[in-house]
Amino acid sequence: MKQLLLVILVCEMSFSFAQKPPTATLKSVLLEQLKTTHNKKDWFVPVNTAVEGLTAEQAMWKDSSGNHSVGQLTYHLVFWNTQSLAKLTGVKADVFSGNNEETFNNKLDKESWDNLVKKLDDVLTQLEKVVSAADD
């Protein structure tokens, strides 16, 4: 009986090792990267977690060395991801002067911060849907 159980166990282990994970495609890698930067925790904090619960005041805080605030970086991410989404979907993107500094908004209040956080989640969700629906 023990021998039979051992044979079954070895066969099950062999079968599980024989199953190969699906081959990664460009689409699957891109989708995974979009999700881990959006809302799926991996080896770094996703953006939804990073901005969750921040007040507008906290989001606009800047250190003394002149780095961008979380709010400015969020605005920047919304801008560029919206541009990318427009290109992927064939929609005309907003006019852009070419000055990247314009993509870092300096003024946020509670309402505009809450709207910006929602817009970031929305645009990242839309990007994931577009990539997911695309063929390889």
Side-chain angles (χ1 to χ4, degrees), residues 41-61:
K41 190 173 191 293
D42 198 29
W43 64 275
F44 58 89
V45 176
V47 70
N48 275 19
T49 302
V51 299
E52 183 179 27
L54 287 180
T55 65
E57 182 180 320
Q58 291 168 327
M60 290 310 300
W61 178 85

Side-chain angles (χ1 to χ4, degrees), residues 71-87:
Q72 289 175 307
L73 293 170
T74 303
Y75 190 85
H76 178 77
L77 288 171
V78 168
F79 178 85
W80 284 113
N81 281 286
T82 301
Q83 292 281 322
S84 295
L85 180 62
K87 288 177 185 174

Side-chain angles (χ1 to χ4, degrees), residues 6 13 15 39 53 80:
L6 183 60
M13 288 176 58
F15 179 73
N39 57 15
W80 284 113

